[in-house]
Amino acid sequence: PFMARPAALDGTLAGDVGFDPLGFAKSESDLMNFREAEVKHARLAMLAAAGWPVSELLDKKIASAFGMSPILDNTDRVPSLLNGGLGKISPLYWVGTIGLAAA
């Protein structure tokens, strides 16, 4: 209400109320790129939010099916930065994950 509405935000998109205080959307193509990136990041966050508890539920079953030892700790928690245990994960996994993310 106290700032001028940016030119790219003309009210045609759902939820567009002209809020871009830092002026990132210089053109409509920039706006569409930012919108697409936001949707992609939101979908990835939803998958992560669902994947964390599912991995805790299925880790032992999947590990036994492949003849591997489960990576859950003794309280059935997945290794993470929050609770430690990332040393149990193979470095090849991290290389592959970063490679897939970069592709």
Side-chain angles (χ1 to χ4, degrees), residues 5-19 25 27-28 31-32:
R5 179 184 282 272
L9 299 173
D10 57 4
T12 56
L13 293 173
D16 176 10
V17 293
F19 185 73
S27 66
E28 190 168 339
L31 179 64
M32 290 300 130

Side-chain angles (χ1 to χ4, degrees), residues 52 77-86:
W52 190 296
R77 295 182 307 176
V78 173
S80 72
L81 289 175
L82 302 174
N83 58 21
L86 287 179

Side-chain angles (χ1 to χ4, degrees), residues 39-88:
V39 169
K40 286 180 181 179
H41 288 108
R43 288 177 180 165
L44 184 61
M46 288 186 277
L47 285 172
W52 190 296
V54 168
S55 67
E56 288 183 348
L57 292 173
L58 300 179
D59 180 65
K60 290 182 180 177
K61 294 175 186 173
I62 292 172
S64 65
F66 287 104
M68 302 169 73
S69 62
I71 59 170
L72 298 179
D73 64 7
N74 22 349
T75 58
D76 286 340
R77 295 182 307 176
V78 173
S80 72
L81 289 175
L82 302 174
N83 58 21
L86 287 179
K88 295 180 185 178

